[in-house]
Amino acid sequence: MKIAICSGKIDSEIIGGFLKEYFDGNGMETEIINYESGEELLSYMETVRNCDAVYIDSYLKKMFGSDVAKILREKGYGGHIFLIGQKEESGTVRNLP
């Protein structure tokens, strides 16, 4: 499984480590690719297009995660997109169609 993580506020190493441990532990070899901004993620569309899932921080520095997700869909990305939001009290994950 190939997963892209685009995170500004949320620590992508923690998310990536959690996902890798989970999938590898269930017999699915996992490759994690980290991007620090929505612009960086979108500039690597050919690489991202081959990912099974993309996790995007909802609150990136220059763009909202939902805007990045919309552009990914417009550019033909058909994999899973998860928006990750963080509040002081708790974090949330939402899967987009």
Side-chain angles (χ1 to χ4, degrees):
M1 174 164 286
K2 192 172 188 179
I3 298 172
I5 299 174
C6 181
S7 178
K9 187 188 277 187
I10 299 174
D11 189 349
S12 61
E13 289 182 17
I14 292 172
I15 296 167
F18 171 76
L19 292 170
K20 185 157 181 56
E21 181 179 329
Y22 175 81
F23 288 114
D24 287 353
N26 285 289
M28 298 166 51
E29 189 174 324
T30 309
E31 177 185 354
I32 305 289
I33 305 167
N34 291 310
Y35 298 96
E36 293 185 15
S37 69
E39 297 85 2
E40 181 185 17
L41 177 114
L42 294 170
S43 72
Y44 286 95
M45 247 340 268
E46 288 308 311
T47 301
V48 173
R49 190 172 320 235
N50 295 317
C51 290
D52 299 294
V54 178
Y55 288 77
I56 307 171
D57 187 342
S58 293
Y59 303 103
L60 298 166
K61 290 181 183 178
K62 294 183 181 179
M63 301 176 78
F64 287 112
S66 57
D67 294 332
V68 175
K70 181 179 178 183
I71 294 168
L72 284 174
R73 288 291 186 234
E74 289 171 353
K75 291 187 174 222
Y77 177 72
H80 299 284
I81 298 175
F82 297 92
L83 289 180
I84 306 165
Q86 183 176 351
K87 294 181 181 180
E88 288 184 25
E89 308 87 48
S90 67
T92 59
V93 175
R94 182 174 61 147
N95 185 6
L96 295 179

